Amino acid sequence: MAVFDLDNTLADTAHRQHFLEGRPRNWAGFFAAAPQDPPLAEGVTLVLEQARECEIVYLTGRPERCRRDTLDWLAGQGLPEGRLHMRSNADRRPARFTKLEILRRLARDREIRFLVDDDELVCDDAERAGFAVVRARWAAKSAALEDAQEREGRT
Ligand SMILES: [Mg+2]
């Protein structure tokens, strides 16, 4: 299976990053605007290509309450069907812990071809744990989002 992150790997969050720049951060606004994310062409090409050869799994730091919107978005972009792993609504740990935990679980009974993710810390930890990684470097970086991901464990 090939495992894909969503935000800034397949979905362009640039238009909603302003919700995280104020204090307090507007997480509700940030996630509510996700259905309007434009797709990222490089990620979409890669996921469509991989879907011809293996099972696709989506692994995102978005909370479970975004599941309906996220499934609709994936279908709306014509992306392959696949299991969607999300963060439980109350989980505030940084993505590199939650994602690695799920990767390890998936790897127990399936071969993982690679993880595609834009978060360098997630990629570093996954590589250290022995997973192959494709670093998604095609979206514009957001300092506010990176900071929020690592310190507040929200996405
Ligand atoms: Mg991401």
Side-chain angles (χ1 to χ4, degrees), residues 96-112:
R96 62 182 196 275
F97 298 120
T98 55
K99 285 187 173 177
L100 208 64
E101 199 172 273
I102 293 170
L103 271 182
R104 286 198 167 107
R105 204 165 68 216
L106 293 173
R108 281 210 292 259
D109 41 32
R110 296 293 298 275
E111 186 190 332
I112 295 181

Side-chain angles (χ1 to χ4, degrees), residues 107-127:
R108 281 210 292 259
D109 41 32
R110 296 293 298 275
E111 186 190 332
I112 295 181
R113 179 174 279 191
F114 50 60
L115 163 72
V116 189
D117 202 299
D118 67 299
D119 185 327
E120 297 287 349
L121 294 174
V122 168
C123 291
D124 289 349
D125 283 4
E127 270 181 355

